[in-house]
């Protein structure tokens, strides 16, 4: 029999198998012929099966582990929350509102 490449978003689930299966939520296969699905990195997620890439967690949410299918909302209550990270801005480190937060420590009150 002839070998065929798996489409992006799918991978072979075990060695020697010819069946391509969709990557589970939280995992992705970005290229054709992927031999395995990869877990989304902290700060990103893939909500459905068959993902070709992971998306950054939106502002005000975070993902603190690998292979997440969703992001956790910061805080709670009536306060407005955001996510920030220290980044160089014009030669000085400053807190900047950003997506892709990798933990609850990036959460802060939106002033």
């Amino acid at each position: 029999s002839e070998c065929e490449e798996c489409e992006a978003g799918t991978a072979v689930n075990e060695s020697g198998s010819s069946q391509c299966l969709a990557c589970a939520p939280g995992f992705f296969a970005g290229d054709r012929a992927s031999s395995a699905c990869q877990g989304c990195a902290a700060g990103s997620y893939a909500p459905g099966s068959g993902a070709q890439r992971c998306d950054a967690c939106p502002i005000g949410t975070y993902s603190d582990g690998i292979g997440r299918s969703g992001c956790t909302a910061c805080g709670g209550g009536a306060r407005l929350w955001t996510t920030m990270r220290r980044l160089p801005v014009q030669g000085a480190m400053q807190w900047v509102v950003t997506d892709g937060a990798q933990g609850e420590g990036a959460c802060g009150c939106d002033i």
Side-chain angles (χ1 to χ4, degrees), residues 27-92:
F27 293 79
F28 74 102
D31 300 320
R32 288 179 57 93
S34 291
S35 60
C37 297
Q38 303 294 315
C40 294
S44 65
Y45 71 108
S49 60
Q52 296 179 22
R53 63 179 169 75
C54 300
D55 295 320
C57 288
I59 291 170
T61 67
Y62 67 92
S63 166
D64 60 1
I66 296 171
R68 302 286 195 224
S69 60
C71 301
T72 303
C74 292
R79 296 169 63 178
L80 294 176
W81 290 87
T82 192
T83 44
M84 299 172 285
R85 170 174 3 174
R86 285 183 62 83
L87 297 172
V89 177
Q90 298 177 350

Side-chain angles (χ1 to χ4, degrees), residues 6 10-15 19 23 29 31-38:
C6 291
T10 67
V12 177
N13 67 337
E14 56 189 58
S15 181
Q19 185 178 12
C23 296
D31 300 320
R32 288 179 57 93
S34 291
S35 60
C37 297
Q38 303 294 315

